Amino acid sequence: MWRQWLDHATRQDSDREIARKAGLTHSTVSRWRNAGTAPAEGIIRIARAYAADPIDALVSAGIITEDDLMNGGLRNAVRHAPTAYLTEELHERVTTGRLHGGFGELRRMFRAWSTR
């Protein structure tokens, strides 16, 4: 999966171009591509060089899992996210139909929160 992420995020740039943009050597990028993975630091460097989400890159490489995100990182991020950001995201999900369960789910969530 990491190779697929790499090709997509870099728009199938050559290993030389990836290395140049990420400040790595060509041989390092080639070695990582052939191995099908890279160390977390390298993955993050490439993601940042291409303005890609480093978390998605780490998940694609199997370094962190979706469960890791849900159990720690995501909940923590939501706790610390500005209210305006959360409100915008909720509005976007409601207006585009991406809120699974619709307003019924939203009402259930608010009821659950209010009983805490």
Side-chain angles (χ1 to χ4, degrees):
M1 272 195 50
W2 183 73
R3 282 187 201 145
Q4 291 171 334
W5 175 89
L6 184 65
D7 286 342
H8 177 76
T10 64
R11 295 170 257 346
Q12 297 186 337
D13 275 353
S14 69
D15 290 351
R16 287 189 190 285
E17 183 62 12
I18 295 168
R20 186 188 69 73
K21 287 183 178 181
L24 300 164
T25 66
H26 166 259
S27 61
T28 297
V29 174
S30 294
R31 187 173 60 253
W32 292 346
R33 182 187 296 274
N34 292 333
T37 192
E41 297 81 13
I43 291 169
I44 292 168
R45 262 177 105 155
I46 293 170
R48 288 179 177 159
Y50 282 88
D53 184 345
I55 302 299
D56 287 343
L58 293 169
V59 170
S60 76
I63 293 172
I64 59 174
T65 66
E66 294 287 339
D67 286 344
D68 294 333
L69 294 176
M70 295 305 293
N71 292 331
L74 183 60
R75 285 189 182 148
N76 193 39
V78 169
R79 273 191 208 110
H80 294 20
T83 301
Y85 175 81
L86 295 172
T87 305
E88 287 173 25
E89 179 62 24
L90 186 55
H91 178 265
E92 175 72 17
R93 289 184 186 199
V94 168
T95 58
T96 62
R98 290 187 305 127
L99 180 65
H100 303 290
F103 287 104
E105 178 186 351
L106 193 55
R107 278 193 292 277
R108 283 189 299 281
M109 288 180 351
F110 281 124
R111 280 191 205 120
W113 292 330
S114 67
T115 61
R116 290 183 179 180

